[in-house]
Amino acid sequence: LRPNRAAPGTLELGRIVAVGIAVADAEGLDGLSMRRVAAELGAGPLSLYRHVADKDDLLVRMMDTALREASL
């Protein structure tokens, strides 16, 4: 097992978005990066690109999730 590798099944879109929201909540949008989210997930940054196109895509998904949760 190589260090900084996510366990199988831990890289799911919902989890990536949730971690992105947590990072942004803790550090603000300036602290949000694909590298930072990947580090929290124990994955390599490039592995996130299997699930989101780029940081902008992640941001849109984070906003959609936050709006959906706020309307509940």
Side-chain angles (χ1 to χ4, degrees):
L1 196 59
R2 293 161 70 190
N4 205 25
R5 301 283 294 194
T10 59
L11 284 183
E12 299 171 348
L13 180 58
R15 183 148 160 68
I16 293 168
V17 171
V19 169
I21 291 170
V23 168
D25 281 347
E27 301 177 20
L29 288 178
D30 288 339
L32 180 70
S33 68
M34 298 297 275
R35 182 178 302 274
R36 180 74 175 89
V37 171
E40 288 295 315
L41 290 165
L46 294 178
S47 62
L48 300 184
Y49 292 100
R50 293 184 192 130
H51 304 278
V52 293
D54 53 25
K55 183 179 173 183
D56 289 338
D57 183 28
L58 176 59
L59 285 168
V60 168
R61 292 171 185 272
M62 289 167 53
M63 288 185 287
D64 286 347
T65 299
L67 290 172
R68 193 174 329 108
E69 290 176 359
S71 68
L72 294 178

